[in-house]
Amino acid sequence: MSYPIISADSHVTEPPNTYIDHIDPAYRDRAPHLKTVEGAGDIFVIDGMKTPIPMGIVAAAGKPAEEIRMMGTRFEELHRGGWDPEARLADQARDGVAAEIVYPTVGMAICNHRDLDYKKACCDAYNRWLTGYCAPHPDRLLGVGQTAMRTPEEGIADLEAIARMGLRGVMMPGHPGVADYDSPAYDAFWDAAIEIGLPLSFHILTTRDGATRGPRMNAFLSVIRGCQDIMGTLVLGGVFERHPRLRVVCVEADAGWVPHYMYRMDHAFKRHRNWLPPGQALSKLPSEYFAESIYTTFQDDWVAFRSVNMMNWRRLMWANDFPHSDSTWPWSQDLLAEHADELTAEQRRAILCDNVAELYRIDLTTLG
C-alpha cells in the first residue's frame, strides 16, 4: 500500500495524575482521580458525578468478548500506550496504523458534568496533559482538545488556546452553557473555528441522554442518538446555511445510518418545512448540508462500507477506537480486507487516509 492508514478516532487512557497535576489549584482537592475499590478494581472518580468510570471497559482492546469485564481491572494492567507515547507507537505498528486523531476517555464523561466552572477547570487540565502526551510525536499523535463551552465568547478563547498548544481539533460538549448550538449566539464561534482552522468534533457519550428501555444492552444501541440529534440541530437549525465553510465531525457514531438519515431530513423538510422557526430558510435540501459539512467516523461498520455510494464518501473517515472495548485493534487490517473489499482504490484511500489528512492538515510525507 502506497499511503499511510490513519485512525480518525482513537483515545488516551488518562493516567492517575492527569487532572491532579494540571488543574487550577482552586479545584485540586476535587480533581478527577483514580481510586482503588475492593472488588471493583481501579475506577476514575469525578466529583459531582454519580457514576465513576471503570478502567477495565475503557481499555479492553484486543480482549476476547468473554474476558471483557466492567470491574476488577487495575490501571497497571491496561494498554500502556494509553498514557505512554513511546509505547503508543508500538501499538500503532501492530495495528498497521501510521497516525491517530486522539480523543479523551475520562474527558468524555466530563462533557456531561453540570457544573460548568468545574468542567472548564477539568478541560483546561486535560488539554495541558494532552499537549505533553502528543509532543514527542506530533505527526503521529494528533490530539483533540476539549472546551467546556460555558459561553460562545469563552469558546472562542478556548479555540485560540488549543491552537496555541499545537493540538489539532476541539471536542465539543453535547450541551453548551448558553442556549443551543443552532442559536445565532454561536455565529461568531463558528466563524472563529473556520478562521482558526480547528475541526470541531461531537463524540458519542458526550451528551446527557434519557433512560433507555429494555435490557441493559439496549442502551448500547442508543449511544449514537445524541450525535444524530446534534447533527440534525446544526443542519435544520440553519448553522451550515449561515456558515457554509464550517466542518464538523460526528465521532464514533457509525455511518451506515447516514443515507437514511439524510432521506428522513429531506422528507421532513419537503413535507413539514413550516415547522422551522419563523424567518428561517434553507436554500438547499438538508441532505446537501449534511453531505458537504459533516464528517463521520466509524470502525467495523460494514454497512457504511457497503453504502459509500449513497453518501459523500469524501466525508467518511475510518477509525480503530484504540484502546476502547469497541476497538478493531489489533485486527484492523484483517477487518479492512473484508469490509472494504468492494471499494474502488480511490474510495479506499480517501476513507483510510486522504479525508482525515485533508481535514486535519496532516503532512503525509512525515508518515513514511
Side-chain angles (χ1 to χ4, degrees):
M1 190 175 294
S2 60
Y3 53 88
I5 294 178
I6 303 170
S7 170
D9 169 47
S10 300
H11 294 265
V12 297
T13 306
E14 292 91 335
N17 65 322
T18 300
Y19 298 96
I20 294 172
D21 287 359
H22 297 91
I23 204 165
D24 183 316
Y27 291 90
R28 189 157 291 146
D29 291 344
R30 299 173 54 202
H33 60 280
L34 197 68
K35 181 178 180 180
T36 301
V37 177
E38 186 68 30
D42 287 345
I43 58 176
F44 235 103
V45 178
I46 304 171
D47 187 78
M49 299 192 80
K50 294 181 180 178
T51 305
I53 301 172
M55 303 313 292
I57 193 69
V58 301
K63 287 188 175 183
E66 59 272 16
E67 293 182 14
I68 297 176
R69 61 187 189 274
M70 190 75 70
M71 298 293 187
T73 303
R74 299 299 300 271
F75 186 83
E76 57 267 21
E77 299 170 4
L78 307 179
H79 293 285
R80 187 175 181 86
W83 67 91
D84 180 342
E86 303 307 322
R88 188 60 168 250
L89 299 192
D91 294 326
Q92 290 181 348
R94 184 176 176 186
D95 205 37
V97 168
E100 297 167 284
I101 308 301
V102 180
Y103 287 88
T105 293
V106 176
M108 291 165 60
I110 288 172
C111 280
N112 295 317
H113 208 289
R114 295 181 183 274
D115 184 335
L116 295 178
D117 296 337
Y118 182 82
K119 184 191 296 188
K120 168 66 172 172
C122 291
C123 289
D124 288 349
Y126 172 76
N127 293 342
R128 296 182 191 110
W129 176 84
L130 181 65
T131 300
Y133 176 81
C134 296
H137 304 286
D139 297 321
R140 300 185 63 179
L141 298 172
L142 295 93
V144 174
Q146 290 193 254
T147 175
M149 285 304 294
R150 287 191 296 190
T151 67
E153 294 76 19
E154 185 175 82
I156 294 173
D158 286 345
L159 294 180
E160 294 169 344
I162 289 169
R164 286 194 299 271
M165 291 177 171
L167 300 175
R168 307 299 286 269
V170 181
M171 188 175 84
M172 309 281 286
H175 299 279
V178 175
D180 206 348
Y181 286 119
D182 59 337
S183 168
Y186 288 91
D187 284 346
F189 174 81
W190 306 127
D191 286 337
I194 295 167
E195 181 65 26
I196 295 170
L198 288 176
L200 305 177
S201 299
F202 293 91
H203 200 289
I204 63 166
L205 302 176
T206 59
T207 301
R208 294 189 297 271
D209 297 319
T212 303
R213 296 172 62 182
R216 183 177 184 182
M217 187 176 288
N218 202 31
F220 186 82
L221 306 180
S222 73
V223 296
I224 68 172
R225 294 174 194 162
C227 283
Q228 290 175 329
D229 285 346
I230 294 171
M231 298 307 110
T233 297
L234 298 177
V235 171
L236 299 175
V239 173
F240 298 122
E241 170 78 19
R242 300 192 300 272
H243 308 277
R245 294 169 54 212
L246 179 65
R247 300 291 180 267
V248 304
V249 191
C250 180
V251 188
E252 205 180 323
D254 297 332
W257 52 269
V258 170
H260 179 264
Y261 193 80
M262 291 195 298
Y263 146 74
R264 192 69 184 166
M265 285 197 297
D266 285 353
H267 172 80
F269 180 68
K270 291 174 182 178
R271 299 295 298 161
H272 305 291
R273 68 184 66 186
N274 59 303
W275 291 3
L276 292 175
Q280 179 179 305
L282 299 180
S283 60
K284 298 187 292 187
L285 288 173
S287 61
E288 296 179 80
Y289 297 104
F290 194 112
E292 181 62 25
S293 301
I294 297 174
Y295 288 78
T296 54
T297 81
F298 62 101
Q299 296 95 254
D300 53 348
D301 180 1
W302 65 269
V303 177
F305 281 116
R306 293 297 189 265
S307 308
V308 296
N309 293 316
M310 300 174 68
M311 48 186 152
N312 182 4
W313 47 267
R314 293 289 184 185
R315 297 292 181 264
L316 295 177
M317 302 189 300
W318 174 83
N320 70 358
D321 194 35
F322 181 82
H324 287 179
S325 59
D326 271 4
S327 179
T328 56
W329 183 99
W331 316 291
S332 293
Q333 300 310 310
D334 293 338
L335 286 169
L336 287 172
E338 175 187 355
H339 292 169
D341 62 340
E342 294 187 8
L343 301 182
T344 67
E346 183 181 19
Q347 289 171 334
R348 185 181 177 94
R349 173 164 182 155
I351 294 169
L352 302 185
C353 175
D354 287 350
N355 294 347
V356 65
E358 179 183 23
L359 180 64
Y360 289 95
R361 304 177 185 180
I362 300 171
D363 182 357
L364 296 179
T365 64
T366 65
L367 301 180

